[in-house]
Amino acid sequence: MHKILVIHGPNLNLLGSREIDVYGTTTIEEINADLKRLAKAKKTRLKIVQSDHEGEIVELIGKAKGKFDAILINPAAYTHTSVAIRDAISAVDVPAVEVHLSNIYGREEFRHTSLIAPVARGQIAGFGKMSYALGLEAALHVIKKKG
Amino acid sequence: MHKILVIHGPNLNLLGSREIDVYGTTTIEEINADLKRLAKAKKTRLKIVQSDHEGEIVELIGKAKGKFDAILINPAAYTHTSVAIRDAISAVDVPAVEVHLSNIYGREEFRHTSLIAPVARGQIAGFGKMSYALGLEAALHVIKKKG
Amino acid sequence: MHKILVIHGPNLNLLGSREIDVYGTTTIEEINADLKRLAKAKKTRLKIVQSDHEGEIVELIGKAKGKFDAILINPAAYTHTSVAIRDAISAVDVPAVEVHLSNIYGREEFRHTSLIAPVARGQIAGFGKMSYALGLEAALHVIKKKG
Amino acid sequence: MHKILVIHGPNLNLLGSREIDVYGTTTIEEINADLKRLAKAKKTRLKIVQSDHEGEIVELIGKAKGKFDAILINPAAYTHTSVAIRDAISAVDVPAVEVHLSNIYGREEFRHTSLIAPVARGQIAGFGKMSYALGLEAALHVIKKKG
Amino acid sequence: MHKILVIHGPNLNLLGSREIDVYGTTTIEEINADLKRLAKAKKTRLKIVQSDHEGEIVELIGKAKGKFDAILINPAAYTHTSVAIRDAISAVDVPAVEVHLSNIYGREEFRHTSLIAPVARGQIAGFGKMSYALGLEAALHVIKKKG
Amino acid sequence: MHKILVIHGPNLNLLGSREIDVYGTTTIEEINADLKRLAKAKKTRLKIVQSDHEGEIVELIGKAKGKFDAILINPAAYTHTSVAIRDAISAVDVPAVEVHLSNIYGREEFRHTSLIAPVARGQIAGFGKMSYALGLEAALHVIKKKG
Amino acid sequence: MHKILVIHGPNLNLLGSREIDVYGTTTIEEINADLKRLAKAKKTRLKIVQSDHEGEIVELIGKAKGKFDAILINPAAYTHTSVAIRDAISAVDVPAVEVHLSNIYGREEFRHTSLIAPVARGQIAGFGKMSYALGLEAALHVIKKKG
Amino acid sequence: MHKILVIHGPNLNLLGSREIDVYGTTTIEEINADLKRLAKAKKTRLKIVQSDHEGEIVELIGKAKGKFDAILINPAAYTHTSVAIRDAISAVDVPAVEVHLSNIYGREEFRHTSLIAPVARGQIAGFGKMSYALGLEAALHVIKKKG
Amino acid sequence: MHKILVIHGPNLNLLGSREIDVYGTTTIEEINADLKRLAKAKKTRLKIVQSDHEGEIVELIGKAKGKFDAILINPAAYTHTSVAIRDAISAVDVPAVEVHLSNIYGREEFRHTSLIAPVARGQIAGFGKMSYALGLEAALHVIKKKG
Amino acid sequence: MHKILVIHGPNLNLLGSREIDVYGTTTIEEINADLKRLAKAKKTRLKIVQSDHEGEIVELIGKAKGKFDAILINPAAYTHTSVAIRDAISAVDVPAVEVHLSNIYGREEFRHTSLIAPVARGQIAGFGKMSYALGLEAALHVIKKKG
Amino acid sequence: MHKILVIHGPNLNLLGSREIDVYGTTTIEEINADLKRLAKAKKTRLKIVQSDHEGEIVELIGKAKGKFDAILINPAAYTHTSVAIRDAISAVDVPAVEVHLSNIYGREEFRHTSLIAPVARGQIAGFGKMSYALGLEAALHVIKKKG
Amino acid sequence: MHKILVIHGPNLNLLGSREIDVYGTTTIEEINADLKRLAKAKKTRLKIVQSDHEGEIVELIGKAKGKFDAILINPAAYTHTSVAIRDAISAVDVPAVEVHLSNIYGREEFRHTSLIAPVARGQIAGFGKMSYALGLEAALHVIKKKG
């Protein structure tokens, strides 16, 4: 059975009420429910964490080695500012898939650059909660190729 | 039954022999076979075209209106240079999903910018041929949300 | 009798249905009809071509020498990316007038730079189909000054 | 009867003697005579002002509301440096057409950027005094579309 | 009775002893005492927090919705680096006023850019502890205009 | 009794009719009335001037020495282009407070840079006419600290 | 017997009449005659193509594998804009030599950057038609070192 | 007898009291007295003007043709922002010498660029009032070489 | 007896298993053991902390005043992103020495800039765990010079 | 008999042992022997100098006038930093051909810019010692065209 | 009696034959003769050196302390590239005056920046050999003010 | 016995009298004495050279191969401008340690970039003459790890 660590970055707990024109009305609970359903079907165990703290996310990733087969991460705001999360992903030998709800390339200039993308296996952006579902499939695909 | 136009940009016909360290040994025929299998399962009709010509791709997209429900496009080199393809996507009222085999954010600086991304619904990059499969699912998801 | 080559760049065949908030409902047929009417009044012969292909536009310009007295060109997306069209205009000894339907300076940053403008005689932008009519007058004016 | 405010920016009073290789031998008097003739034919009343003062041009535009149907402006040097003239055009509800004698895109780098263009309806550059005549036609066209 | 959340960003607890030539000898206790006195006079309730943790500040703002009528924030160093705090302010429907003790525009180049300012209602900088008092008045003004 | 020079920069006389979505319906007369009322309460004498002329504003500031205790200035468009006003403020020994009606940091890129801010005591932006009232308080605070 | 593919990029068919101050009076026929003579002497077979179409050049290169020992290419305008030609050269396992008639480093700024150079074996620029002759020798040298 | 127009730009009337650490205690009256004494010795007639208005300086230069043999100008703040003064100098056929009291290259970054220098004959900066004296000698030298 | 605060930034706890080609196999425990041995020899007391949290590091530094004679810090990823840590070092009156295991100047572009360096006394980079030993000596040297 | 000055820039004496992956095992003695053989065949006299000193290279070029018909130069590291060598080439009336062993466009960013190229007749890069042989031929071609 | 060290930078020995359109026909001997005549009149002793070597110029300046009252330097090409000469001027306590024959601000972009200017007392550029004469006067003026 | 080449770059001979606020009163003789004492204790032989000449430093490094076990270099001004010294270090197989007396990251912007650092083993900056002592220890450490 595969184990995947799912990390929701800062402010994602506010989904559903937050900037509905950008993010829609989906809540983090719905995303998590969807992910769990899909994981069950794929016989995969998930650990899901939301954190507003860069340091906490760094710690989570740092401890993932040997415990998880892949990381599914929406780094949210930290996508554009966190070298620490980037370094954490480089440091552990666990493949990471980066997902975004919105199409970050259609938003403000500073959101077009991801510090995480160069060290992730791949990136999925713009499909709302479906980004997570696709990301989970991608993560499983990456695990299989490696296994 | 949904209809999706699949566009492979320049040089993708060379896959399998081309820069194997970057793109792997998958050929375009394998990608297409995978896509067709998946499309059949999803009761979706595909039209698949590979072209090295920017103008041809622009024409294909320009004629997609009313004929296709979505476009799945790997613009390859034109990702970084073609305003014409970007404008074609903006011009027709058909949602587009952008896919890339490699993680373009882990490669040369000039590959980090996509002129297409801001007008696509979303982007999937870095999962080899799996990027296309995920892209097809994403396209179907976009069609359903809209339908 | 003066002869003028009119070139419509990529995606302009989609006018009328394309991004109506930016380009209005005018179609390319209406623009062409207007141009022909005006040309007739000015005793000028027009050859009108629309092309999505950069190479085709380069060829058209390359063959214009000795056949046309001026070129009226809306390079559309190629305005911002084509050194080849720029070089073609520099290469032939036929004066070119650049026109744009929309005010390109009020749009995205990358549309503010025209690779064509430095080698054109002048530029007219922002007046919808009227840009073409003014461009035709400008072209005739340039021919007369030279003749 | 339409009323149009024509503004000549700094140094344009020196035309005819000023940098003849760039601007030719046309004088501002000839341009004005041409404009008046054309305006008469089009049953349009013109107020023509030349000013070297940014503040004066700002005031003229500020007072144009309700008195003029359009503004025809050659901002000259202020094209590249005046946010105040830009703001004045945005502030009054009178459409503005920007004209230039020379092809500013074929000159020094700093002349390639116009602070005025994004708030003008459109821009005409490079046709010598003919730029003004075309600009007047464009302004009348803009008025009619709006009327 | 209005409720306002006051957030002091990183290092502000060191005020009074910290770089006295830049920040003066005022302590955070004095600022808070001033704010409380002023709030009492204005019949406003304050919650005042100082935090060195970006994530903690993000959480505070995320929970402000429905509990506070406005946020008064001196993001200090995070002004220039935190997309997460910016996103938190965008995410909750509580107006924010940004204050700075020093004139950030007269200091190092990197302090001239605020990631927070574009999503705040307004900004007050350079008046020492008076910046906070003015900020509180501004926040009350914003609440009243909205109420 | 303190004396404060209030300077309204270019186009501010058009307030109320100018871009109402950005600036609201407040007129300059209302701002001035508010300022006078507040000044009276604070036993302060005001001289209020509006000018579209950079040179005039430079002269006003140049003559302020010894006549005024502080300057309250909304440099409007000159905020972003006038080294001359900056130098005037540096040249006289009268503290200046910079105010803006709108949140300049939430607008076009070129409005994010103030040439005036580095030489002003502080800056207040984004609170509509309340910016002026807060600015007047700030100016009085600056005078007191110095006095 | 070695086989070399010679590609002339856009507008090179216009040589001899095109911008004689930059390119001289040599025609493409003269260049080709010279190349054939030299190839004969070196017992080398040439295929020579001129194309204005980026896509056509991409196709030509894509098919070169196994058929040609080297490519001699003057990408002309596409030197500065074509990632697709760059990718085609990277994709096939045929060494490419880049040549230019003029000294591109002594011309406009945008001509100083070649997207092709990093993937070519080497570059020869500035010697008029002699650039081609030297390029052919260089290509043969590269083939020999490899063979 | 040679005639030279001396122009002092904005804020130079404040010399002596203005930023004494940068500009010293010399007043504009002393500079003018020095210049007059030197001019008398050199049998040269001076017209000396100080203006805070960009437009006024443009007008002065515009009228200099045929009346003055050279212009000695300290454009002060307008050095860095005025295309209009630059264009005025280009427009009239009167050689201009640019002078600065302070070493502008040892001050803020934005003072390192002079829009005037490219069209002036030469530049003298950093020697306090001696810059003017040297500038007058340089202007006479330029006149003699030309005469 | 001198007291030095040693701070290991984010991800340094992963040393030994993390990117061995960049960082080698040394573990943080070995570094600490080395530092303690050296400190003992130099009669210095160390407090050693590793943290992934920017805010925690800020707090540690903020409390160092009066308790420690120097700070030895490897800010790791925060070197390039943390204004807050920079401000903390500026705020307390305790000299800081910055160390890095790897030669940050031979790595990715974004690692070439240290926000910490300008406020540290000095920097030592590239000598693996020896960087710490040299840093401790440097810190003691700084303390002695000051003492 | 033609005379050509051959200049090897800094560090080229180390060839053969220096960075063999970039430069191969060819020594400067081999290059010189090749050049002499070729020169003999072409009845050309060579003077060959290697220097690590920018000033020495400047002097050599400065004295070349009237003594040499062409200069063949590999400026090595000075390619990217020496305005003095550029000016020397501009100053003497002797055509220069620039050669490089490696493909400088495929290396570090700072090596993509040549200060020498704009004043050389042409440039040959990337063919190892063959670059010199081709360069010699190019130099003789340039001499003949001129002679 | 004052002693002044005059330094002519690289290539200045070629004056008179070098790029006559930029530098005229004046030779370095004429400049030196002029300077000596002027120095004699001013009872000043000169040491005049021309060098193509950056290091030699650095040494000359390094030894100037206590031997010369001022340095008159035309750094020529080193103006734009030499931090070493800049540091030498900063290191010795001898005031330096920077002169240029041509108007460096009217030439190529890279010549607009002087590394020397920020540490020189002042700069004189554009007056041909007269620049030196004015520079000598300026140097004497600087000495007197200091003495 | 290890042999280390110590190189002092330009102007370092002036230490002690040069900019005492930046560099202190230490002389190069004191630094050398310290280094010799330390070298003796470590049974290491030093060759110490100071040079103002870039070319000389390049030569010294070029000849270090096989003669020295490490290079200890303070490139001073050449740190920021010399590709030639960088290439020399890359060319020889002798590890280099870069030292600086001052904290170059706390000085002018152009001093923040070192061309040498990417090819050195490591860098030590900011500890005055102690930088050299630490550098010597670092060099010995590097030698031992390699030996």
Side-chain angles (χ1 to χ4, degrees), chain G residues 55-88:
Chain G
E56 210 165 274
I57 296 173
V58 169
E59 278 177 358
L60 274 166
I61 297 169
K63 290 175 185 156
K65 196 171 178 175
K67 297 215 195 95
F68 294 97
D69 300 296
I71 296 168
L72 183 66
I73 183 167
N74 178 348
Y78 293 137
T79 304
H80 318 297
T81 65
S82 180
V83 174
I85 295 177
R86 175 196 182 117
D87 281 2

Side-chain angles (χ1 to χ4, degrees), chain C residues 55-56 58-59 81 84 87-88 91, chain G residues 11 18 52-53 77 81 110-111:
Chain C
E56 208 165 276
V58 169
E59 279 178 358
T81 65
D87 281 0
Chain G
N11 296 306
R18 172 190 181 190
D52 289 341
H53 298 264
T81 65
F110 71 83
R111 292 196 206 271

Side-chain angles (χ1 to χ4, degrees), chain A residues 9-57:
Chain A
N11 296 305
L12 288 169
N13 54 323
L14 305 175
L15 274 180
S17 57
R18 173 190 180 192
E19 295 165 281
I20 290 170
D21 53 323
V22 179
Y23 296 103
T25 55
T26 313
T27 63
I28 194 173
E29 287 75 23
E30 287 168 41
I31 291 172
N32 290 345
D34 276 15
L35 281 175
K36 282 173 192 163
R37 211 173 307 123
L38 184 56
K40 206 174 166 188
K42 301 276 186 180
K43 298 192 184 309
T44 299
R45 209 156 24 180
L46 302 183
K47 180 178 176 186
I48 305 180
V49 189
Q50 189 276 331
S51 175
D52 290 339
H53 298 265
E54 185 182 16
E56 208 165 276
I57 296 173

Side-chain angles (χ1 to χ4, degrees), chain L residues 83-108:
Chain L
V83 174
I85 295 177
R86 175 197 183 116
D87 281 2
I89 292 174
S90 295
V92 297
D93 196 26
V94 183
V97 171
E98 179 188 357
V99 295
H100 295 283
L101 293 162
S102 67
N103 179 352
I104 57 177
Y105 305 103
R107 299 179 64 195
E108 302 99 316

Side-chain angles (χ1 to χ4, degrees), chain J residues 27-40:
Chain J
T27 63
I28 195 173
E29 287 73 22
E30 287 168 43
I31 291 173
N32 290 346
D34 277 16
L35 281 177
K36 282 174 193 161
R37 211 173 308 124
L38 184 55
K40 206 175 165 186

Side-chain angles (χ1 to χ4, degrees), chain H residues 26-55:
Chain H
T26 313
T27 62
I28 195 173
E29 287 74 22
E30 286 168 41
I31 291 173
N32 290 346
D34 276 16
L35 281 176
K36 282 174 193 161
R37 211 173 308 124
L38 185 55
K40 207 174 164 188
K42 301 275 185 180
K43 301 195 182 307
T44 299
R45 208 154 25 178
L46 301 183
K47 180 179 175 184
I48 305 181
V49 189
Q50 189 276 330
S51 174
D52 289 341
H53 298 265
E54 185 182 15

Side-chain angles (χ1 to χ4, degrees), chain C residues 8 11-18 20 23-35 101 128-129 132:
Chain C
H8 298 291
N11 297 305
L12 289 170
N13 54 323
L14 305 175
L15 274 181
S17 57
R18 173 190 180 190
I20 289 169
Y23 296 104
T25 56
T26 313
T27 63
I28 194 173
E29 287 75 23
E30 286 168 42
I31 291 173
N32 290 345
D34 276 17
L35 281 176
L101 292 162
K129 67 177 180 176
Y132 280 92

Side-chain angles (χ1 to χ4, degrees), chain F residues 15 18-25 101-103 107 111 128:
Chain F
L15 275 180
R18 173 189 180 192
E19 296 165 281
I20 289 170
D21 54 323
V22 179
Y23 296 103
T25 55
L101 293 162
S102 67
N103 179 352
R107 299 179 64 194
R111 293 197 206 271

